[in-house]
Amino acid sequence: TPLPHPPRRYTPRHVKRYLPLLALAAIALAHVLPYLLSGTAPAANDYGSSAIPAMASLTGRVPFFGAPAWNPFVFTGAPAEVFAAMPRYPLNVLAYLLRPETALLLFIAIHLALAAKGAWFFTRRFAGTSETAATIGALAYAFGGALWFRGQHPDYLAVAAWMPFVLWSAWE
């Protein structure tokens, strides 16, 4: 005899609720996955001339404490904190441990996901939108092109990724 109801698949409520956020993180990873799988990195423009060399300046050093404090080769000397390497930024720890090309790609993926999640939470809270509308807003902010191109300048990308959280906290 057939069952009166088809068996229900169990999905925890919190997983179902945050499924859009998991999807946004997957999209962020998908942006850099072709490069990661091929073992290459974008090297045109400022990727090759600025971002990858900046990450290379950290490779093999002791995280945060072994970071260079001064760069004598730029503008007759400047603090290393103001350049793309961001030696003491906590989410840049992979630059100390991995090849600079890989570290930069993962840095981009992490910050695109962070920007998307921040935009999602901000639009949900501030505008009071539905989850679908918040997902569309997060897609537009994080993957509309402007932030992807900021990967050439990791310091700009990091600021743009945290901006929805800053705005969210300002309205709280």
Side-chain angles (χ1 to χ4, degrees), residues 48-145:
S49 65
S50 176
I52 292 173
M55 295 288 183
S57 72
L58 302 178
T59 303
R61 295 179 181 255
V62 176
F64 310 116
F65 301 107
W70 188 260
N71 186 339
F73 305 109
V74 179
F75 305 122
T76 67
E81 301 298 331
V82 300
F83 298 116
M86 298 177 298
R88 288 171 188 81
Y89 177 53
L91 293 181
N92 201 18
V93 71
L94 295 175
Y96 293 96
L97 308 171
L98 302 173
R99 291 181 31 238
E101 297 85 1
T102 306
L104 178 62
L105 291 170
L106 291 175
F107 183 91
I108 291 169
I110 289 167
H111 284 82
L112 287 176
L114 189 65
K117 289 179 182 192
W120 190 86
F121 283 117
F122 177 71
T123 54
R124 286 281 292 154
R125 180 72 173 166
F126 176 69
T129 62
S130 67
E131 290 181 8
T132 303
T135 303
I136 292 169
L139 285 168
Y141 180 70
F143 309 114

